[in-house]
Amino acid sequence: MVQGAIPEHELATVYEPMVNLILQGGKTMAVGGQTLDCDAATYFVMSVGLPVVGKVRAARDGSPYLAVALTLAGAPLADLLADLPPARPRQADDAAFAVAAATPDFLDAWLRLLRLMNRPQDIAALAPAYEREILYRVLQGPMGRALQDIAAPDAALARVNQAIRTIRADFALPLRIDLLAEAAAMSGSSFHRHFKAATALSPLQYQKEVRLLHARRQLLTSGRTVTAAAHDVGYESLSQFSREYRRKFGLPPAQDIARLLGRSSAHPPKQAHPDA
């Protein structure tokens, strides 16, 4: 479980599979061509790792954004699903991410879990039960099917998730769709369909999103030049990198990083091409 009050900021990261409950403030997230808008007392579910950009915003009264998240793992879900009636099989067009309003029962389970922070001696005994109830409430809600296949290693979503892990681990390497499809035990067309249904992106688009996020992080934190960052994440063409970066983040790399760091545009990070 993760919790925290977070100041307003831009969001650009790869989310792990999770259930995330917004307690205060809000968040807008762009995933592929879709935009999710989350406000207080809503929650979102991501059953695969997804590259996300957007904005975290404060509450209307100025209070900082506050949220809690439960990381999703296969074993607890499998134990829970074994005790439930069989669910409708997940369809290829069922989304792996969505937003819903929190119900009173869902909020009550979270409240009991959070109260354990004041009773650490009870965490080992009670936290697993409360986490199980949170998962149960999600499974019974409108996004239940977004969870069920995480616990089934042979399900299409689980195999797409494995392909996602491969892409994220080897994002700088050329992408071999045929090998990913073969590892997922799918035809190329079936793999592409299931992958896009789960992520709103094609495999190549997913890789590009991950590359750009890694490059931006490098430019922000390591002092790499634009040229070096582009090559590190797998781009052979600096001009292509700059075009795709600007399309993603709204500015060329050097200007974007200067803005994020609050620097004068007269002193941006070093670059090696006028389009960067």
Side-chain angles (χ1 to χ4, degrees):
M1 182 180 67
V2 178
Q3 70 162 352
I6 303 173
E8 188 164 296
H9 68 281
E10 292 186 19
L11 179 69
T13 190
V14 180
Y15 273 144
E16 299 297 337
M18 69 168 70
V19 177
N20 188 291
L21 171 63
I22 313 298
L23 300 174
Q24 191 171 269
K27 178 186 294 184
T28 300
M29 302 177 293
V31 183
Q34 303 183 31
T35 299
L36 305 180
D37 195 52
C38 313
D39 291 311
T42 67
Y43 69 99
F44 67 86
V45 174
M46 291 189 175
S47 53
V48 298
L50 290 173
V52 173
V53 296
K55 186 177 182 64
V56 169
R57 57 184 181 273
R60 291 181 179 178
D61 64 0
S63 301
Y65 171 86
L66 181 65
V68 287
L70 186 63
T71 302
L72 296 174
L77 276 169
D79 290 342
L80 175 57
L81 288 168
D83 294 333
L84 299 177
R88 177 182 72 79
R90 192 176 186 279
Q91 306 300 308
D93 58 352
D94 284 336
F97 54 93
V99 177
T103 65
D105 287 336
F106 181 75
L107 291 172
D108 183 59
W110 269 110
L111 179 60
R112 283 180 277 121
L113 179 63
L114 292 172
R115 281 176 174 163
L116 292 179
M117 296 177 64
N118 297 322
R119 301 194 306 272
Q121 71 277 10
D122 295 340
I123 290 176
L126 297 179
Y130 297 158
E131 291 178 0
R132 178 182 170 94
E133 182 178 350
I134 290 168
L135 295 176
Y136 172 77
R137 299 301 177 190
V138 176
L139 285 166
Q140 297 303 303
M143 291 179 291
R145 288 190 299 273
L147 294 188
Q148 66 186 42
D149 281 0
I150 293 177
D154 292 330
L157 183 63
R159 286 178 277 156
V160 167
N161 227 336
Q162 181 56 52
I164 285 172
R165 286 192 287 268
T166 298
I167 294 172
R168 289 178 62 184
D170 302 329
F171 65 85
L173 301 178
L175 194 62
R176 290 286 305 276
I177 304 295
D178 55 336
L179 295 181
L180 290 174
E182 182 180 349
M186 298 180 187
S187 67
S189 59
S190 177
F191 174 74
H192 188 278
R193 184 174 69 255
H194 281 284
F195 193 101
K196 190 157 189 177
T199 66
L201 298 162
S202 71
L204 284 170
Q205 289 171 330
Y206 187 99
Q207 182 195 48
K208 181 176 73 174
E209 298 269 315
V210 172
R211 283 179 167 183
L212 292 172
L213 288 171
H214 274 274
R216 196 188 205 201
R217 187 176 300 115
Q218 279 198 20
L219 290 169
L220 274 170
T221 62
S222 68
R224 302 284 281 171
T225 66
V226 173
T227 302
H231 290 164
D232 285 349
V233 300
Y235 279 87
E236 296 182 0
S237 167
L238 183 58
S239 60
Q240 180 187 0
F241 170 73
S242 296
R243 285 195 305 271
E244 293 184 353
Y245 189 105
R246 181 170 188 165
R247 192 176 301 124
K248 180 68 178 175
F249 299 116
L251 287 170
Q255 293 180 33
D256 178 51
I257 300 305
R259 177 184 63 84
L260 291 172
L261 295 176
R263 295 175 179 170
S264 167
S265 59
H267 302 284
K270 292 180 288 183
Q271 56 178 314
H273 191 281
D275 291 335

